[in-house]
Each structure stands twice: as structure tokens, then as C-alpha cells.
Amino acid sequence: MSTQATHLITAYPARPIAPSALAELRASDDAGHPCVPRTATDGGDPLRCCLRAAAPGERIALVSYAPLRRWAAETGADPGAYDEQGPVFIHAEDCGGPAPSQAYPFTRPGALRALRRYDAAGHIVGGRLLELPEAPDEGLDTALTEAFTDPAVALVHVRAVEYGCFHFEVRRP
């Protein structure tokens, strides 16, 4: 299965955590802690490996993830002080990645999202607070189009405002 969601309606592909990074996170996370799997009880936890909510009974783990650090290692950027890590949920075992989708993940009208913009060096060059409208995919498309009109923007992280959690990244098309 593809490691990147295929979007037929949205303008920008939401990128899950890469399979190679997931393999490392399932051993030791980006803070150096061992992965501790658990069984999802209520479900709903946003899984960054397959860009969907966990179902009750699935084996998941909460790990520390440094998305900008991993992107920088891939691209040769040096984010310096902008490097950060935070908690994300993933499947405890390989799940095959996201299924093809026609929508952005983790969208609920009224939810607050922060869209952090980064340049090719990995430095923050702006951001935007977005309250997801009734048509959340259209709202995200508009905000991402706005971000990428700035030629300095190479990458956008979409995060939940309430917890600051990284949801997914979008790279310059």
C-alpha cells in the first residue's frame, strides 16, 4: 500500500509519517524512549501512520516524534532551534499506511488548526490559525494555497491547537 494518501479532491497530499521513521519509532522514539504499545479502549486517537482515527481494540502507541528533524535529515536542512518533538499516536505494528482518500485527515468543522510554514532551511517563516469551516477540506486547501504562494515556504505542518500535536505535513508541490 502507498505510504502517502492519494487525494482526489484536495489540492495538497497530506503526508503520513514515513515507513522507515515508523520502524524506528516502534523501537525507540525521537526522545530515546522505548515504544510501549497499548490497546485502544475508546478509539478516536489520531494515528499518524495511516492518517485515520484508531478503532477500539487496535494496538497503538504514543511516541515522541520530531517531524522537522526527520524532514531536515532527508533534505539536508538545519532547523536549529526550530527542531522540536511532541507526542503522536501510531499503530504498534505496521499497518500498511493510509488508504486512498478524498479528504484531509482529522477534520471536524470547528476544530482549530495551526499551519506552521517552514523554509528550505527548516526555519519558521509564518503560520496561520484556522478554524475548520463546515467544508474543512476547502478551508485547508485555501490556507495551504495561501501558504505556498510565498515562494520561501517549502513545508507546512498542520497541528491541533488544543494539544499542539502534529497531525500531518504538506510539502511544496
Side-chain angles (χ1 to χ4, degrees):
M1 174 156 291
S2 170
T3 60
Q4 182 172 321
T6 303
H7 296 281
L8 305 174
I9 293 177
T10 59
Y12 303 93
R15 298 175 64 95
I17 297 175
S20 59
L22 289 167
E24 293 172 5
L25 294 170
R26 289 179 180 122
S28 176
D29 71 14
D30 287 343
H33 302 118
C35 181
V36 180
R38 67 175 177 84
T39 301
T41 54
D42 297 331
D45 300 309
L47 298 165
R48 283 32 168 250
C49 50
C50 56
L51 301 179
R52 68 168 178 80
E58 288 188 293
R59 297 288 292 158
I60 63 173
L62 182 62
V63 298
S64 183
Y65 177 60
L68 193 60
R69 180 184 315 159
R70 290 186 176 269
W71 172 82
E74 180 183 322
T75 63
D78 182 10
Y82 293 104
D83 178 29
E84 62 182 332
Q85 59 193 30
V88 295
F89 289 99
I90 61 173
H91 275 112
E93 293 84 28
D94 184 13
C95 64
S101 174
Q102 296 183 10
Y104 289 110
F106 318 124
T107 56
R108 174 184 42 80
L112 297 175
R113 297 291 178 258
L115 282 74
R116 287 193 196 159
R117 303 170 186 176
Y118 297 91
D119 65 14
H123 299 166
I124 293 176
V125 291
R128 177 172 180 197
L129 175 65
L130 175 67
E131 180 176 346
L132 294 178
E134 286 301 314
D137 291 332
E138 290 175 22
L140 280 164
D141 275 347
T142 299
L144 289 164
T145 297
E146 174 188 288
F148 289 118
T149 60
D150 179 348
V153 175
L155 175 75
V156 176
H157 284 178
V158 177
R159 295 175 173 266
V161 171
E162 296 88 344
Y163 299 102
C165 296
F166 170 85
H167 275 296
F168 59 91
E169 75 177 31
V170 176
R171 295 184 182 186
R172 175 170 287 286

